[in-house]
Amino acid sequence: RNMCRKAIKENLMLVFTVTAVLIGIGLGLALRSVNLSPTVLQLINFPGEIFMQLLKMMVLPLIITSIISSLGQMESGHASKVGLMTVGYYTLTAVIASTVGIFLVTTIQPGVSMAQSSVKNSLSTGDIDPIDTFMDLIRNMFPDNIFKATFQRVSTKYERNGTEIDKNVVDGPGTNILGVLVFCVFFGIVSARLGEKVRIVIDFFVALDEIIMGWIMMLMWFAPFGIISLICGNLLDVDDLAGTFHTLAMYVLTCLTGLAIHIFIVTPALLFLFTRKSPLPVYKTMLQPWLIAFGTASSGAALPTSIACLERFGIDPRIANFVPPLGNTINVDGNALYEAVAVIFIAQLNNIHLSVANIITISLTATLASMGSGSVPAGLVTMVLILGTVGLPVKDLALIVTVDWLVDRIRTAINVMGDGFATCVIAHNVARDLKRDEGYKTMSLRRKTSEMV
């Protein structure tokens, strides 16, 4: 009994999070039999809405301070090495995830036996050129104004002028996380090269990182209330829950099978290949961030907890403050797998045969379109883009959206778990280099603060 009490006390936040997920599911299913008014539904969703706004407010300052402080305390050569290794690892896992999804959906063929959807959708492909996706990605990586990048991102807008299509590069609403991240990476690398000359600047970002992290860790004690509200509200928003699950059972099963293969077979295999270590401790360490990501459907919401858990696990604070924020933007394993499955599923619904070239195009476009979308779901625009790339109809997209609330939570949680594995792989391969850095002791304050909070 004493051991159980001690275990619960040491993992109190985890216990609260698990309980909140179960309460949210149970309450949502129970209230579906009650005819609730729109006002009551709005009130049920309101705590979750406020909680998500607070967390999203903290994502940008957390990314800025954590990346600059972590890279600034490394030697310049080590900072560049860590960045290249992280990008390379995430690119590898994204390609593997997309390949797994395509293999499963073409093997299981969930859309072949299903009737063609009668759901109408007003979205239009707008003759989207896939090369514009890649060019927009590069444009967002190098914004012309770093302050504007905090609330606007670049995209190609299509307008029909008679029989011709006019394309214009415009600034649209939304945080350009990718541009801010690239700026912070270069800022941190240059700070590392200058060393003691800019020590006061590095110490400033280290202290600011401590403040932001402490604030977020205190905020996370209110996470259970937000999780209950979000899950319950999503369950109540679905009109025909039983009919939706019955119609799309095979599609959801295909997505979940692919995600399970990726996180339970592919990712542990890569961890063992690069580190020769067991994946079980990583699963245990990332359980709480995984549940937060599942409850909120946002990898950004789980980012603070991921960093704190990885530091308590023994990961060098400089790596724990760099890899997860970077992965929060470019780790698109779950999205790449899901979107590849969804597009081919729609093709199967309409009895459209896809060539090998089409499938390769879907894989590449799904990966590129997911990058740079930040810690929020890619949404309908990304799906329209991929469908338009291979000339598929978008009228069945609404059918996909009806179960997206469930698959989105799981694929987001998979991304967060993947960030934990990536951090462990990178930390293992640069451990010797980092121990020789003079700034190693400076970051020890961060770990003590997070444990105290």
Side-chain angles (χ1 to χ4, degrees), residues 76-123:
S76 58
H78 297 164
S80 302
K81 179 180 178 181
V82 171
L84 291 175
M85 289 181 61
T86 304
V87 173
Y89 179 87
Y90 280 132
T91 302
L92 174 63
T93 56
V95 172
I96 294 176
S98 179
T99 303
V100 170
I102 291 174
F103 172 78
L104 287 176
V105 73
T106 53
T107 303
I108 300 176
Q109 297 185 339
V112 171
S113 59
M114 295 175 62
Q116 189 171 353
S117 173
S118 60
V119 181
K120 295 183 179 180
N121 196 295
S122 60
L123 295 174

Side-chain angles (χ1 to χ4, degrees), residues 345-365:
F345 171 71
I346 290 177
Q348 294 173 354
L349 285 177
N350 293 274
N351 296 320
I352 297 176
H353 175 72
L354 296 175
S355 64
V356 176
N358 292 141
I359 294 177
I360 294 175
T361 302
I362 290 173
S363 176
L364 294 177
T365 309

Side-chain angles (χ1 to χ4, degrees), residues 236-440:
L236 294 175
D237 286 339
V238 178
D239 294 331
D240 185 10
L241 189 63
T244 299
F245 276 125
H246 179 267
T247 304
L248 301 175
M250 290 302 295
Y251 164 73
V252 174
L253 178 63
T254 303
C255 292
L256 298 186
T257 301
L259 294 172
I261 291 175
H262 183 75
I263 200 61
F264 291 119
I265 297 178
V266 175
T267 307
L270 291 175
L271 177 72
F272 182 79
L273 177 65
F274 291 118
T275 68
R276 295 296 190 271
K277 293 182 179 180
S278 170
L280 295 180
V282 184
Y283 286 125
K284 181 179 178 181
T285 300
M286 296 298 295
L287 181 58
Q288 183 179 338
W290 187 90
L291 289 169
I292 292 175
F294 177 81
T296 61
S298 171
S299 56
L303 180 58
T305 310
S306 299
I307 294 175
C309 291
L310 288 168
E311 287 187 7
R312 287 196 294 267
F313 183 56
I315 300 297
D316 188 302
R318 291 164 293 177
I319 300 298
N321 279 269
F322 174 73
V323 177
L326 182 61
N328 198 49
T329 299
I330 67 173
N331 181 11
V332 294
D333 297 353
N335 292 345
L337 188 149
Y338 161 78
E339 290 173 358
V341 171
V343 171
I344 298 178
F345 171 71
I346 290 177
Q348 294 173 354
L349 285 177
N350 293 274
N351 296 320
I352 297 176
H353 175 72
L354 296 175
S355 64
V356 176
N358 292 141
I359 294 177
I360 294 175
T361 302
I362 290 173
S363 176
L364 294 177
T365 309
T367 302
L368 290 175
S370 299
M371 287 187 172
S373 60
S375 56
V376 296
L380 295 178
V381 177
T382 303
M383 291 299 300
V384 171
L385 169 66
I386 303 173
L387 291 170
T389 301
V390 291
L392 291 175
V394 298
K395 60 185 178 59
D396 290 315
L397 189 58
L399 189 65
I400 300 294
V401 176
T402 56
V403 292
D404 184 68
W405 63 273
L406 172 63
V407 182
D408 177 44
R409 296 177 182 278
I410 298 177
R411 70 174 186 261
T412 301
I414 294 300
N415 288 342
V416 170
M417 184 67 72
D419 288 340
F421 278 90
T423 305
C424 293
V425 169
I426 303 301
H428 175 81
N429 285 276
V430 298
R432 294 182 180 179
D433 295 334
L434 294 179
K435 287 182 179 180
R436 293 195 295 266
D437 288 359
E438 294 180 358
Y440 178 76

